[in-house]
Every structure is written in structure tokens, then in C-alpha cells.
Amino acid sequence: CPDPLHLGILTALYGGLRIGEVCALQWGDISLESGTIRIHKTMLRIQDLTPDARRKTKVLIDCPKTESSNRVIPMPSFLMAFLKPHRMAKDVYLLTGKRAYMEPRICLEKYKRLLIRAGLDSFTFHTLRHTFATRCIEVGFEVKSLSEILGHSSVKVTLDRYVHSSMELKRTNINKLSAIGLG
């Protein structure tokens, strides 16, 4: 049985979510019926400039920084089916299985420990987002849809930052020229 952190990592991988978006995600944001996830908040740690602050920083849960980052993402049916038996109350955070959140820094530390236990290189959490975008292109995703799922303001951002063509994909595309021949 996967723990909540594993559910969050899978959701990030198959939805292209940013770490702050996953950390702020509650079960009420996930509609298993419609197969969608609503991204309308993100979590980050900021400087606490309050004069009587006990700490230098504080966690902030707020709206995403851009309008395009505020979005509804369709999720693959296999992921919705996987999440369904683990559903919890609407105010419970996906990453913790509790009404208390896990901040991005702690999520990243736990993610890195999972990678070490699995014998994998030290990939950043953001690598999940890159992987999602690249795999979507490889299976023929329409780029405008992918850009909207990622919450980008333009297709150019998606292509320039997140899509990395593999040699296999290049070979598949170049072999499409065979259809027209040397005629």
C-alpha cells in the first residue's frame, strides 16, 4: 500500500505538477469522478519580514503566481483508479494523509531519500515535470494542450524549457520522410 508521499510523487509525474502545487494539493482538489485535479494554490517558503517574527522564513499557501498556472488538469484514468482506494476527506493533504501539510523543503528531502533507497541518481523533483512534458511529446501530445496542462503562458515556454527530444524520437520523425521517398 503506497504512502501519501508516493501518491503525491505519482501525481506530480503524471500531471506535470510543480513541487509547491503538490504540497498544497488537498483531496478536495481531486475529482475522481471527472478525473481532474484543480490547481488553484501553491506552497512556498518566503522571508518573514514581520518585526517580531520568531523565524526568518514562513510557509505561504497562496494562488499560483500567474493566471495560466491556475488550471484544471485531466489525469490519466489509471492514476485516478490508483488514487481512488486512498481517497480521504477534502481538507486532507495528498502528501501527508493528514490535515497538516508538508512543505516543499521537507518533501524534497523525503523524495531524495526515496531515490537513494531505490538506487537512483539524485534527480530534482522538477525532473518529474520535465519527464512528464518530454513523454507527452513522445506519445504525440498536441503542444497547446500540454502547455495548458503545465500552466504555461505560451507554447514557446513549454517547448524551450521542458521538451527534450530523444534520439529515438528524432529517428522516428526522420523516418517519416520514407513515406514521400526520393521521387
Short mmCIF file of all heavy atoms in Angstrom, two decimals, residues 26-61:
data_model
loop_
_atom_site.label_atom_id
_atom_site.label_comp_id
_atom_site.label_asym_id
_atom_site.label_seq_id
_atom_site.Cartn_x
_atom_site.Cartn_y
_atom_site.Cartn_z
N GLN A 26 -4.88 19.23 -1.87
CA GLN A 26 -5.73 18.52 -0.91
C GLN A 26 -6.70 17.63 -1.70
O GLN A 26 -6.94 17.85 -2.89
CB GLN A 26 -6.51 19.52 -0.05
CG GLN A 26 -5.59 20.31 0.88
CD GLN A 26 -6.32 21.40 1.62
OE1 GLN A 26 -6.76 22.37 1.02
NE2 GLN A 26 -6.45 21.23 2.93
N TRP A 27 -7.24 16.64 -1.01
CA TRP A 27 -8.14 15.70 -1.67
C TRP A 27 -9.35 16.40 -2.27
O TRP A 27 -9.91 15.95 -3.27
CB TRP A 27 -8.55 14.59 -0.72
CG TRP A 27 -7.48 13.54 -0.64
CD1 TRP A 27 -6.51 13.42 0.30
CD2 TRP A 27 -7.26 12.48 -1.58
NE1 TRP A 27 -5.69 12.35 0.01
CE2 TRP A 27 -6.13 11.76 -1.14
CE3 TRP A 27 -7.90 12.08 -2.75
CZ2 TRP A 27 -5.64 10.65 -1.82
CZ3 TRP A 27 -7.41 10.97 -3.43
CH2 TRP A 27 -6.29 10.28 -2.96
N GLY A 28 -9.77 17.53 -1.72
CA GLY A 28 -10.88 18.28 -2.28
C GLY A 28 -10.56 18.87 -3.65
O GLY A 28 -11.47 19.26 -4.39
N ASP A 29 -9.29 18.94 -4.01
CA ASP A 29 -8.86 19.44 -5.32
C ASP A 29 -8.86 18.35 -6.38
O ASP A 29 -8.66 18.63 -7.56
CB ASP A 29 -7.44 20.03 -5.23
CG ASP A 29 -7.34 21.15 -4.21
OD1 ASP A 29 -8.28 21.97 -4.12
OD2 ASP A 29 -6.32 21.19 -3.48
N ILE A 30 -9.07 17.11 -5.95
CA ILE A 30 -9.02 15.97 -6.86
C ILE A 30 -10.44 15.45 -7.05
O ILE A 30 -11.11 15.07 -6.10
CB ILE A 30 -8.14 14.84 -6.28
CG1 ILE A 30 -6.71 15.35 -6.05
CG2 ILE A 30 -8.15 13.62 -7.20
CD1 ILE A 30 -5.83 14.41 -5.26
N SER A 31 -10.90 15.44 -8.30
CA SER A 31 -12.22 14.88 -8.61
C SER A 31 -12.01 13.54 -9.29
O SER A 31 -11.66 13.47 -10.47
CB SER A 31 -13.02 15.81 -9.52
OG SER A 31 -14.21 15.15 -9.93
N LEU A 32 -12.20 12.47 -8.52
CA LEU A 32 -12.04 11.14 -9.09
C LEU A 32 -13.18 10.84 -10.06
O LEU A 32 -13.02 10.02 -10.97
CB LEU A 32 -12.00 10.10 -7.96
CG LEU A 32 -10.80 10.25 -7.02
CD1 LEU A 32 -10.91 9.31 -5.83
CD2 LEU A 32 -9.48 10.02 -7.75
N GLU A 33 -14.30 11.50 -9.89
CA GLU A 33 -15.45 11.30 -10.77
C GLU A 33 -15.19 11.86 -12.16
O GLU A 33 -15.45 11.21 -13.17
CB GLU A 33 -16.71 11.94 -10.17
CG GLU A 33 -17.19 11.30 -8.87
CD GLU A 33 -16.28 11.58 -7.66
OE1 GLU A 33 -15.68 12.68 -7.60
OE2 GLU A 33 -16.16 10.69 -6.79
N SER A 34 -14.65 13.09 -12.22
CA SER A 34 -14.39 13.69 -13.53
C SER A 34 -12.96 13.43 -14.00
O SER A 34 -12.60 13.77 -15.13
CB SER A 34 -14.64 15.20 -13.48
OG SER A 34 -13.72 15.85 -12.64
N GLY A 35 -12.13 12.86 -13.13
CA GLY A 35 -10.75 12.55 -13.50
C GLY A 35 -9.89 13.79 -13.66
O GLY A 35 -9.05 13.85 -14.56
N THR A 36 -10.11 14.78 -12.80
CA THR A 36 -9.36 16.02 -12.91
C THR A 36 -8.77 16.44 -11.57
O THR A 36 -9.23 16.03 -10.52
CB THR A 36 -10.26 17.17 -13.41
OG1 THR A 36 -11.34 17.36 -12.50
CG2 THR A 36 -10.78 16.91 -14.82
N ILE A 37 -7.76 17.29 -11.67
CA ILE A 37 -7.15 17.90 -10.50
C ILE A 37 -7.18 19.41 -10.72
O ILE A 37 -6.76 19.90 -11.78
CB ILE A 37 -5.71 17.41 -10.28
CG1 ILE A 37 -5.73 15.93 -9.93
CG2 ILE A 37 -5.02 18.23 -9.19
CD1 ILE A 37 -4.38 15.33 -9.68
N ARG A 38 -7.66 20.12 -9.73
CA ARG A 38 -7.74 21.58 -9.81
C ARG A 38 -6.52 22.17 -9.10
O ARG A 38 -6.32 21.94 -7.91
CB ARG A 38 -9.02 22.06 -9.15
CG ARG A 38 -9.21 23.54 -9.23
CD ARG A 38 -10.59 23.93 -8.70
NE ARG A 38 -10.62 25.37 -8.52
CZ ARG A 38 -10.92 25.97 -7.39
NH1 ARG A 38 -11.25 25.26 -6.32
NH2 ARG A 38 -10.91 27.27 -7.30
N ILE A 39 -5.73 22.90 -9.84
CA ILE A 39 -4.57 23.59 -9.28
C ILE A 39 -4.97 25.05 -9.11
O ILE A 39 -5.15 25.78 -10.09
CB ILE A 39 -3.34 23.48 -10.21
CG1 ILE A 39 -2.98 22.02 -10.48
CG2 ILE A 39 -2.15 24.25 -9.62
CD1 ILE A 39 -2.60 21.22 -9.26
N HIS A 40 -5.17 25.45 -7.86
CA HIS A 40 -5.57 26.83 -7.60
C HIS A 40 -4.79 27.43 -6.43
O HIS A 40 -5.07 28.55 -5.99
CB HIS A 40 -7.08 26.92 -7.34
CG HIS A 40 -7.53 26.11 -6.16
ND1 HIS A 40 -7.87 26.68 -4.96
CD2 HIS A 40 -7.67 24.77 -6.00
CE1 HIS A 40 -8.21 25.72 -4.11
NE2 HIS A 40 -8.09 24.56 -4.73
N LYS A 41 -3.79 26.66 -5.96
CA LYS A 41 -2.93 27.19 -4.90
C LYS A 41 -1.56 26.51 -5.00
O LYS A 41 -1.41 25.45 -5.59
CB LYS A 41 -3.56 26.98 -3.53
CG LYS A 41 -3.90 25.56 -3.17
CD LYS A 41 -4.73 25.51 -1.90
CE LYS A 41 -5.03 24.13 -1.45
NZ LYS A 41 -6.11 23.45 -2.09
N THR A 42 -0.60 27.18 -4.42
CA THR A 42 0.75 26.67 -4.39
C THR A 42 1.35 27.01 -3.02
O THR A 42 0.85 27.88 -2.33
CB THR A 42 1.61 27.23 -5.55
OG1 THR A 42 2.85 26.53 -5.61
CG2 THR A 42 1.86 28.71 -5.40
N MET A 43 2.39 26.29 -2.67
CA MET A 43 3.03 26.50 -1.36
C MET A 43 4.49 26.88 -1.59
O MET A 43 5.18 26.28 -2.42
CB MET A 43 2.95 25.19 -0.56
CG MET A 43 3.50 25.31 0.85
SD MET A 43 3.46 23.72 1.73
CE MET A 43 1.72 23.36 1.77
N LEU A 44 4.94 27.86 -0.83
CA LEU A 44 6.34 28.24 -0.90
C LEU A 44 6.78 28.80 0.45
O LEU A 44 5.97 29.14 1.30
CB LEU A 44 6.58 29.27 -2.00
CG LEU A 44 5.84 30.60 -1.94
CD1 LEU A 44 6.68 31.66 -2.64
CD2 LEU A 44 4.49 30.47 -2.63
N ARG A 45 8.07 28.81 0.63
CA ARG A 45 8.65 29.37 1.85
C ARG A 45 9.22 30.73 1.49
O ARG A 45 9.98 30.85 0.54
CB ARG A 45 9.74 28.44 2.40
CG ARG A 45 10.35 28.95 3.71
CD ARG A 45 11.19 27.91 4.39
NE ARG A 45 10.39 26.96 5.13
CZ ARG A 45 9.84 27.19 6.32
NH1 ARG A 45 9.96 28.37 6.89
NH2 ARG A 45 9.15 26.26 6.93
N ILE A 46 8.82 31.75 2.24
CA ILE A 46 9.27 33.11 1.96
C ILE A 46 9.90 33.73 3.21
O ILE A 46 9.71 33.21 4.32
CB ILE A 46 8.09 34.01 1.49
CG1 ILE A 46 7.01 34.09 2.57
CG2 ILE A 46 7.53 33.51 0.17
CD1 ILE A 46 5.96 35.15 2.32
N GLN A 47 10.59 34.82 3.02
CA GLN A 47 11.16 35.55 4.16
C GLN A 47 10.03 36.12 5.00
O GLN A 47 9.04 36.61 4.48
CB GLN A 47 12.02 36.72 3.67
CG GLN A 47 13.46 36.40 3.51
CD GLN A 47 14.24 37.68 3.28
OE1 GLN A 47 13.92 38.46 2.40
NE2 GLN A 47 15.28 37.87 4.07
N ASP A 48 10.18 36.03 6.29
CA ASP A 48 9.21 36.62 7.21
C ASP A 48 9.76 37.97 7.65
O ASP A 48 10.68 38.04 8.47
CB ASP A 48 8.95 35.71 8.41
CG ASP A 48 7.78 36.18 9.25
OD1 ASP A 48 7.31 37.32 9.05
OD2 ASP A 48 7.32 35.40 10.11
N LEU A 49 9.20 39.02 7.09
CA LEU A 49 9.70 40.36 7.37
C LEU A 49 8.96 41.02 8.54
O LEU A 49 9.20 42.19 8.84
CB LEU A 49 9.58 41.23 6.11
CG LEU A 49 10.34 40.69 4.90
CD1 LEU A 49 10.07 41.54 3.67
CD2 LEU A 49 11.84 40.63 5.18
N THR A 50 8.10 40.25 9.21
CA THR A 50 7.40 40.77 10.38
C THR A 50 8.43 41.10 11.46
O THR A 50 9.28 40.27 11.78
CB THR A 50 6.40 39.71 10.91
OG1 THR A 50 5.63 39.21 9.83
CG2 THR A 50 5.50 40.30 11.97
N PRO A 51 8.36 42.31 12.04
CA PRO A 51 9.37 42.72 13.03
C PRO A 51 9.51 41.76 14.22
O PRO A 51 10.63 41.52 14.68
CB PRO A 51 8.87 44.09 13.51
CG PRO A 51 7.95 44.57 12.46
CD PRO A 51 7.39 43.36 11.79
N ASP A 52 8.43 41.18 14.69
CA ASP A 52 8.50 40.29 15.85
C ASP A 52 8.52 38.80 15.48
O ASP A 52 8.21 37.95 16.30
CB ASP A 52 7.34 40.59 16.81
CG ASP A 52 5.98 40.42 16.15
OD1 ASP A 52 5.92 40.43 14.91
OD2 ASP A 52 4.99 40.26 16.89
N ALA A 53 8.90 38.50 14.23
CA ALA A 53 8.93 37.11 13.77
C ALA A 53 9.96 36.29 14.55
O ALA A 53 11.06 36.74 14.82
CB ALA A 53 9.25 37.05 12.28
N ARG A 54 9.55 35.08 14.92
CA ARG A 54 10.46 34.17 15.64
C ARG A 54 11.42 33.47 14.69
O ARG A 54 12.47 33.02 15.10
CB ARG A 54 9.65 33.13 16.41
CG ARG A 54 8.97 33.71 17.64
CD ARG A 54 8.39 32.60 18.46
NE ARG A 54 6.94 32.82 18.51
CZ ARG A 54 6.06 31.92 18.88
NH1 ARG A 54 6.45 30.72 19.21
NH2 ARG A 54 4.79 32.20 18.92
N ARG A 55 11.00 33.35 13.44
CA ARG A 55 11.85 32.68 12.43
C ARG A 55 12.09 33.64 11.27
O ARG A 55 11.34 34.59 11.08
CB ARG A 55 11.14 31.43 11.93
CG ARG A 55 10.99 30.38 13.01
CD ARG A 55 10.49 29.09 12.41
NE ARG A 55 10.50 28.05 13.43
CZ ARG A 55 9.62 27.10 13.50
NH1 ARG A 55 8.64 27.02 12.62
NH2 ARG A 55 9.70 26.19 14.45
N LYS A 56 13.10 33.33 10.49
CA LYS A 56 13.44 34.19 9.35
C LYS A 56 12.51 33.97 8.16
O LYS A 56 12.37 34.83 7.31
CB LYS A 56 14.88 33.94 8.92
CG LYS A 56 15.91 34.38 9.94
CD LYS A 56 17.30 34.08 9.44
CE LYS A 56 18.32 34.45 10.52
NZ LYS A 56 19.68 34.14 10.11
N THR A 57 11.91 32.77 8.08
CA THR A 57 11.05 32.44 6.96
C THR A 57 9.72 31.88 7.45
O THR A 57 9.60 31.49 8.61
CB THR A 57 11.72 31.40 6.04
OG1 THR A 57 11.95 30.20 6.78
CG2 THR A 57 13.02 31.92 5.45
N LYS A 58 8.76 31.84 6.54
CA LYS A 58 7.46 31.24 6.85
C LYS A 58 6.90 30.58 5.60
O LYS A 58 7.27 30.92 4.47
CB LYS A 58 6.49 32.29 7.37
CG LYS A 58 6.13 33.38 6.37
CD LYS A 58 5.20 34.41 6.97
CE LYS A 58 4.91 35.53 5.97
NZ LYS A 58 4.03 36.54 6.53
N VAL A 59 6.01 29.61 5.81
CA VAL A 59 5.36 28.92 4.70
C VAL A 59 4.12 29.71 4.31
O VAL A 59 3.35 30.15 5.16
CB VAL A 59 4.98 27.47 5.10
CG1 VAL A 59 4.13 26.82 4.02
CG2 VAL A 59 6.24 26.67 5.35
N LEU A 60 3.95 29.88 3.01
CA LEU A 60 2.80 30.60 2.48
C LEU A 60 2.07 29.71 1.48
O LEU A 60 2.70 29.12 0.59
CB LEU A 60 3.29 31.88 1.78
CG LEU A 60 2.23 32.75 1.11
CD1 LEU A 60 1.30 33.37 2.16
CD2 LEU A 60 2.90 33.84 0.29
N ILE A 61 0.76 29.58 1.65
CA ILE A 61 -0.07 28.89 0.68
C ILE A 61 -0.91 29.98 0.03
O ILE A 61 -1.66 30.69 0.70
CB ILE A 61 -0.97 27.83 1.33
CG1 ILE A 61 -0.11 26.76 2.01
CG2 ILE A 61 -1.89 27.19 0.28
CD1 ILE A 61 -0.90 25.74 2.80
#
